[in-house]
Amino acid sequence: MGKILAAASADSASHARIMATPRSRLVPPDAEGCYHCIQRCVRRAFLCGVDRYTGRSFEHRKPWIEDRLRHLSECFAIAIHAYAIMENHLHIVVQMIPVATSAWSDEEVATRWVRLFPPAGGDSTAIDLKRQQLRADPARLAVFRTRLGNLSWLMRCLAEPIARRANREDLCKGRFWEGRYKCQVLCDERALLAAMAYVDLNPIRAGVAEQLDTSLHTSARARIRNARASPGTLTTSLRPVLGMQPNSLPLSTTEYLRLLDWTGRALAPGKPGRINEQAPPILETIDNSPARWTLRVRSYGGGWARAAGSAQDLMILAERIGQRWLKGIRLALRLS
């Protein structure tokens, strides 16, 4: 604790001069971890929504992204815990599981890679030929095996096809996305759950939707839809909405949806700091204070920076990336 408080008094001006941290230092390519990623558009480009100046609607692009996320979840070694597609940006809470790629056969790696980058034409003969060529080149296949567990490659394979398709539709060239997506390391299970809640509630906080079941193109909506189709899933442990299914989280789907509903009401616009005393029972297990939980979730909009978690975890991360301090440590101390 003494080391943490001493670091808090470091000169803030020196921190402002720190250049962007290489992604490979923040996200080790061979290590499993959970991340909250945000990809934003540029040049007043509309990912989705309605352009106020022209009246043109881009809502039809939202299914593009959901379909792409589903496709990527079947190719990469990932578990997608939450997502929300907004007008000019998107959020993803993703767990990278690179160790899973080592258990895949060469045939499976080749098949997954060819699904990501199919040959021109896409006929079965060309696909089989490309798979055979990959299997015959072990060195190249090893590179692709690594990429299938890499966060930067995941975001690249998500952003590039959407950008090309949107640019064709807009009859223009150039950047569609910001050059560097934002990434926050989620250091523990509670940080993961809070990030999921923040992302699932994004459309409601933005005024795009009023309820979870009308919050289209979000993982919360997908969970509700799945529960209506298979009611038995409501009582099962909470698992990723897409991709691989690693260890479940310590609450059921019903408990998570109730927690989301309560958190959304507590964070409703125009009600800063107002806490409903009838908090869901599961909150006692996750965070023993309703006010602390709402602050934890709200802080993904500004309190957390490169990482979210305990003060100790953030100090360890700061040391690993060569910094004396990390934004969010004071917040973590308040929440401890």
Side-chain angles (χ1 to χ4, degrees):
M1 181 66 72
K3 179 180 178 182
I4 294 174
L5 294 176
S9 62
D11 184 7
S12 59
S14 65
H15 301 155
R17 294 193 293 269
I18 296 174
M19 298 184 68
T21 303
R23 187 81 67 199
S24 59
R25 292 172 64 188
L26 190 64
V27 185
D30 57 347
E32 182 173 344
C34 295
Y35 307 95
H36 171 213
C37 300
I38 306 171
Q39 183 76 71
R40 295 185 179 277
C41 297
V42 296
R43 67 164 193 266
R44 202 179 64 81
F46 266 73
L47 174 60
C48 308
V50 178
D51 189 332
R52 298 188 302 274
Y53 296 94
T54 66
R56 184 181 174 189
S57 174
F58 297 89
E59 285 295 299
H60 62 281
R61 292 178 177 175
K62 290 185 177 180
W64 296 359
I65 300 163
E66 279 195 294
D67 290 345
R68 187 63 183 172
L69 285 173
R70 193 172 296 108
H71 181 70
L72 294 176
S73 71
E74 297 170 354
C75 298
F76 280 84
I78 61 171
I80 296 177
H81 291 273
Y83 65 84
I85 303 167
M86 306 299 289
E87 288 189 352
N88 63 354
H89 67 283
L90 61 91
H91 295 260
I92 309 171
V93 176
V94 62
Q95 182 176 355
M96 302 304 302
I97 316 173
V99 68
T101 64
S102 61
W104 294 344
S105 65
D106 290 351
E107 175 67 25
E108 185 170 2
V109 172
T111 299
R112 287 172 180 260
W113 190 258
V114 173
R115 285 194 67 191
L116 277 176
F117 298 98
D123 61 275
S124 58
T125 302
I127 289 173
D128 289 341
L129 178 61
K130 185 171 182 178
R131 277 204 305 259
Q132 292 173 11
Q133 291 172 340
L134 287 180
R135 291 199 306 269
D137 190 342
R140 192 177 177 205
L141 199 65
V143 172
F144 295 157
R145 185 186 298 274
T146 300
R147 290 177 180 177
L148 289 173
N150 183 276
L151 179 61
S152 292
W153 271 90
L154 169 68
M155 296 303 292
R156 172 181 176 177
C157 290
L158 171 62
E160 285 188 1
I162 300 300
R164 287 195 294 267
R165 190 172 179 181
N167 278 350
R168 283 197 301 268
E169 186 177 71
D170 293 342
L171 301 177
C172 68
K173 297 181 180 180
R175 286 190 178 276
F176 182 79
W177 303 103
E178 287 183 353
R180 185 177 171 90
Y181 65 90
K182 181 180 178 181
C183 175
Q184 293 175 313
V185 181
L186 306 176
C187 297
D188 55 37
E189 205 169 67
R190 188 161 49 191
L192 170 61
L193 277 170
M196 291 168 60
Y198 175 83
V199 169
D200 275 328
L201 292 171
N202 215 269
I204 294 176
R205 288 197 320 279
V208 177
E210 294 184 356
Q211 300 178 16
L212 291 174
D213 58 354
T214 61
S215 185
L216 304 179
H217 308 289
T218 64
S219 49
R221 166 75 175 189
R223 291 185 191 279
I224 293 171
R225 188 172 58 243
N226 293 340
R228 286 172 177 170
S230 304
T233 60
L234 283 170
T235 56
T236 59
S237 297
L238 188 67
R239 292 187 175 275
V241 70
L242 290 172
M244 304 181 73
Q245 301 293 305
N247 295 334
S248 58
L249 293 168
L251 70 169
S252 68
T253 301
T254 296
E255 288 172 328
Y256 176 67
L257 292 175
R258 287 175 178 168
L259 178 63
L260 271 185
D261 181 69
W262 179 86
T263 306
R265 296 174 192 276
L267 297 178
K271 300 179 182 178
R274 181 176 176 181
I275 301 297
N276 186 341
E277 294 300 328
Q278 300 301 317
I282 190 63
L283 191 54
E284 295 180 6
T285 303
I286 299 171
D287 219 337
N288 59 12
S289 164
R292 186 178 299 168
W293 167 256
T294 54
L295 175 60
R296 193 183 302 277
V297 174
R298 185 189 296 114
S299 295
Y300 282 93
W304 304 114
R306 293 175 178 171
S310 69
Q312 190 62 41
D313 284 336
L314 267 58
M315 287 296 292
I316 292 172
L317 177 61
E319 185 175 355
R320 193 184 80 204
I321 64 177
Q323 293 185 203
R324 292 180 297 162
W325 191 249
L326 205 61
K327 182 180 177 181
I329 292 179
R330 285 191 182 88
L331 173 62
L333 287 170
R334 288 177 59 193
L335 294 171
S336 63

